[in-house]
Amino acid sequence: MVTIYEKKPGLSRRELLKRGSVGALLVISGSAVISPEHAWGLQTSALKPETMATLIQMARDIYPHDQVPDKYYAIAVKAHDEQADKDPAHKDLIEKGIADLDLKSGKDGYTGLGWEEQRVAVLREIEDTPFFQAVRGGLVVGLYNQKEVWPIFGYEGESYSKGGYMARGFDDIEWL
């Protein structure tokens, strides 16, 4: 006997978990973005907290790593707030870029899009803009240069101070 499962409308358990676990609870209060679930907060000085919350979600969508907590994405995009504090042109680039992103995303804005596929589709529309390139370029350094995330990816850091790669098993092929 063959059982045929019909797809039921609504969210599957897997989709609910996938959708709800990434950036689900960011509270915007005054000039701060707060994650009460994970006990971290981010103070803003030049950019609006709503802009920072959108940048955090955008960072997650550009470089998606489910195992990396939001706080590391927040640290990575904080550099845009610091640069905007010193450079009005950068502040204008980021604020206008987020406004354009929200406009392209519909009435609830970019963070209001519930599905990652929808957000990625909007990002693909703007991927050639100076705004997107500035955010993406800053993330490469801002996210992956944080020593706290290295163990999550299995990277042990530089090897020179530990004797180099030659003496540390670079040629270990026991897995063969």
Side-chain angles (χ1 to χ4, degrees), residues 1-53:
M1 175 176 194
V2 176
T3 305
I4 299 174
Y5 294 99
E6 292 181 32
K7 187 171 181 177
K8 296 179 182 177
L11 292 176
S12 69
R13 181 175 170 263
R14 178 169 288 173
E15 286 299 322
L16 177 65
L17 292 173
K18 186 164 77 170
R19 182 178 178 183
S21 64
V22 179
L25 289 174
L26 291 181
V27 177
I28 299 169
S29 173
S31 64
V33 179
I34 302 165
S35 174
E37 180 182 356
H38 301 289
W40 64 266
L42 176 71
Q43 186 74 27
T44 61
S45 58
L47 298 174
K48 295 182 276 188
E50 297 85 3
T51 298
M52 292 301 289

Side-chain angles (χ1 to χ4, degrees):
M1 175 176 194
V2 176
T3 305
I4 299 174
Y5 294 99
E6 292 181 32
K7 187 171 181 177
K8 296 179 182 177
L11 292 176
S12 69
R13 181 175 170 263
R14 178 169 288 173
E15 286 299 322
L16 177 65
L17 292 173
K18 186 164 77 170
R19 182 178 178 183
S21 64
V22 179
L25 289 174
L26 291 181
V27 177
I28 299 169
S29 173
S31 64
V33 179
I34 302 165
S35 174
E37 180 182 356
H38 301 289
W40 64 266
L42 176 71
Q43 186 74 27
T44 61
S45 58
L47 298 174
K48 295 182 276 188
E50 297 85 3
T51 298
M52 292 301 289
T54 302
L55 282 172
I56 293 166
Q57 183 62 61
M58 188 178 167
R60 272 207 164 280
D61 293 333
I62 294 172
Y63 292 110
H65 300 290
D66 292 339
Q67 70 276 28
V68 176
D70 281 344
K71 75 176 184 176
Y72 297 113
Y73 287 98
I75 292 167
V77 298
K78 176 68 174 157
H80 290 291
D81 184 54
E82 292 166 354
Q83 188 175 350
D85 208 16
K86 300 172 191 164
D87 181 6
H90 187 74
K91 178 179 180 176
D92 192 49
L93 174 74
I94 299 299
E95 292 288 2
K96 284 184 177 179
I98 293 294
D100 182 51
L101 186 66
D102 283 340
L103 186 66
K104 289 180 184 305
S105 300
K107 71 175 185 133
D108 293 327
Y110 183 76
T111 57
L113 294 174
W115 303 101
E116 181 179 358
E117 293 82 17
Q118 292 172 314
R119 293 189 306 271
V120 170
V122 174
L123 290 177
R124 288 193 190 280
E125 290 179 33
I126 66 160
E127 67 186 343
D128 293 327
T129 66
F131 161 69
F132 181 88
Q133 293 302 319
V135 173
R136 186 195 58 78
L139 283 171
V140 170
V141 175
L143 182 61
Y144 299 114
N145 274 3
Q146 296 180 56
K147 289 183 180 183
E148 295 83 12
V149 301
W150 292 353
I152 296 170
F153 299 120
Y155 177 60
E156 297 176 2
E158 57 82 26
S159 71
Y160 178 77
S161 65
K162 300 170 187 137
Y165 290 110
M166 297 298 281
R168 294 191 60 235
F170 86 98
D171 59 350
D172 179 14
I173 56 170
E174 292 179 12
W175 54 272
L176 274 178

